[in-house]
Amino acid sequence: MSHQNPLVLTLQDLETEALSAIRAAPDAGALEDLRVSYLGRKEGRISEILRGLGGLEADQRPPVGAEANRVKDVLQQALKARETEVASAGGDSGAGIEDLTLPARQRWKGGVHPVNRVVDEIWSIFRSMGFVRARGPEAETEWYNFVALNTPLDHPAADEQDTLYLRDSALLRSHTSPVQVRTMEKYEPPIRIIAPGMAYRRDSYDATHTPAFTQIEGLVVDEGITFIDFKATLAEFARRFWGSGTKVRFRPSFFPFTEPSAEVDVKRVITKKDGTRGESDWIEIMGAGMVDPNVLENVGYDPERYTGFAFGMGPARIAMLKYGVPDLRIFLQHDIRFLSQFTTGRAP
Ligand code: PHE
């Protein structure tokens, strides 16, 4: 056999190149572009070769012409097959089994528990006022939980009826106030702390009580801290948390570790059912007071030089008000239908 016309090889290269381009074409538009560039009447590269057949030696025309027509057929068939494929796959470039319009499965993201959200919010308000965070152990001694806090052991709070004892004089702290003592023992004033944590009491389990609950303790001690600092700080907190129209009231009360003591109530601006603005009832949000000089003395501070105030609140109670939850137990039952309202994802 004499030499093969180089056009035959060119045609075979074009065939390989075009076939792989057709297989990779993502949609009908891309296929049409390929059809034009290989088989288009004016500029198609196969068509060009066919048009030039007349200029070849007579004996070269049949083999080149036959090869050109074969490649043309192959490409036409490949274009058609790929066209059907992309049409049924909705434009997908894969094997045609994926449905790209199917929404992605949402992942379960979890979320911050509503009580912890309230803790975070309260903490961030105090942080912006210059407080730092403190913590202490949940298993405590009588000294930290009662005695250092000016609460004699024959006080009803220290009774086994109210406090969960572990063994001997070890107990589960019945409030977060022992963190006050631990902090003052360790650091010199000025003190400005927020201490969120669990507290435990021998209590019933009902709509408004649980034996284990979260508290947030606050303590400020420095030279020259007065009742005015106390009132202003807590009123500022309440207005930041509930809004600037919130009214704050300090009601005389008693705690062994503060003197004078108060219970702090708020009256919130609310939107009533008929859409008009109104005020809520007074709601108690915390116990508080000026730190009793005996407590300062117990931790080795000079009560002539230093004064301070302290407060303790129950974020679960505040979360009940904030989210309209009527029963504390809902916070502890891990019902995914309730908790999923506080996530950004979706329940599985
Ligand atoms: N520890 C008190 C309680 O649990 C609250 C409190 C804290 C009161 C700090 C005054 C000062 O009821």
Side-chain angles (χ1 to χ4, degrees):
M1 193 182 143
S2 65
H3 67 280
Q4 210 177 27
N5 189 294
L7 278 174
V8 171
L9 292 177
T10 305
L11 280 163
Q12 283 163 5
D13 286 348
L14 282 175
E15 178 186 10
T16 314
E17 177 192 303
L19 281 177
S20 74
I22 290 167
R23 253 179 249 123
D27 51 39
L31 287 170
E32 177 58 15
D33 290 345
L34 288 171
R35 197 193 59 75
V36 170
S37 71
Y38 289 99
L39 306 174
R41 214 165 279 171
K42 278 190 198 154
E43 281 168 11
R45 294 160 74 186
I46 310 287
S47 319
E48 244 168 66
I49 292 171
L50 282 164
R51 258 205 314 277
L53 282 180
L56 295 178
E57 301 283 347
D59 67 332
Q60 294 297 315
R61 280 176 216 156
V64 175
E67 189 62 7
N69 281 319
R70 187 191 65 77
V71 173
K72 186 177 166 183
D73 281 353
V74 167
L75 295 190
Q76 267 165 351
Q77 272 175 36
L79 282 165
K80 215 186 214 159
R82 182 66 191 149
E83 233 162 73
T84 327
E85 240 173 48
V86 297
S88 71
D92 174 37
S93 62
I97 49 168
E98 297 92 346
D99 176 2
L100 294 186
T101 64
L102 186 72
R105 229 171 267 142
Q106 267 188 298
R107 267 197 295 159
W108 171 240
K109 287 184 189 143
V112 178
H113 188 280
V115 174
N116 287 336
R117 278 195 181 209
V118 166
V119 172
D120 291 346
E121 205 176 316
I122 291 172
W123 155 237
S124 84
I125 292 171
F126 282 102
R127 181 180 48 196
S128 77
M129 295 199 264
F131 284 67
V132 297
R133 199 148 163 163
R135 63 196 297 178
E138 293 176 18
E140 269 295 6
T141 62
E142 289 175 325
W143 166 258
Y144 287 106
N145 199 76
F146 297 121
V147 181
L149 287 165
N150 202 36
T151 311
L153 290 175
D154 58 9
H155 187 278
D159 199 288
E160 280 187 42
Q161 295 289 325
D162 293 300
T163 297
L164 290 155
Y165 281 85
L166 296 168
R167 83 162 98 88
D168 304 327
S169 65
L171 47 84
L172 289 175
R173 66 181 180 194
S174 60
H175 51 181
T176 44
S177 300
V179 183
Q180 292 186 32
V181 180
R182 288 186 176 274
T183 306
M184 290 189 284
E185 276 184 351
K186 211 163 161 192
Y187 302 98
E188 287 297 313
I191 301 273
R192 238 186 260 110
I193 56 147
I194 287 293
M198 295 300 292
Y200 304 85
R201 280 180 206 173
R202 201 161 157 176
D203 233 333
S204 56
Y205 182 56
D206 59 35
T208 52
H209 300 85
T210 58
F213 55 98
T214 308
Q215 273 201 335
I216 300 180
E217 192 78 14
L219 174 70
V220 172
V221 182
D222 200 358
E223 285 179 28
I225 299 289
T226 68
F227 201 83
I228 293 173
D229 300 301
F230 168 53
K231 272 192 88 166
T233 304
L234 295 181
E236 172 68 10
F237 157 71
R239 296 200 180 100
R240 286 221 217 154
F241 189 86
W242 279 285
S244 54
T246 306
K247 288 180 182 156
V248 184
R249 162 172 103 174
F250 290 71
R251 204 162 23 81
S253 184
F254 177 81
F255 297 100
F257 35 91
T258 46
E259 181 59 34
S261 301
E263 263 158 343
V264 182
D265 300 339
V266 293
K267 200 186 243 303
R268 294 163 302 149
V269 176
I270 51 169
T271 307
K272 291 189 284 194
K273 285 207 181 77
D274 62 5
T276 59
R277 288 247 152 167
E279 283 187 327
S280 72
D281 293 333
W282 284 107
I283 295 150
E284 185 202 320
I285 55 157
M286 64 175 100
M290 300 302 290
V291 179
D292 191 301
N294 290 339
V295 176
L296 298 175
E297 221 158 301
N298 286 339
V299 299
Y301 283 5
D302 177 2
E304 296 296 323
R305 182 171 171 201
Y306 297 114
T307 49
F309 62 88
F311 51 93
M313 54 186 137
R317 237 181 80 80
I318 294 171
M320 282 171 87
L321 293 170
K322 187 179 170 87
Y323 300 117
V325 173
D327 190 318
L328 257 186
R329 289 168 292 191
I330 293 173
F331 287 133
L332 298 162
Q333 283 163 349
H334 315 304
D335 186 328
I336 216 78
R337 291 166 302 177
F338 171 71
L339 293 174
S340 64
Q341 299 176 79
F342 300 94
T343 71
T344 45
R346 191 183 59 123

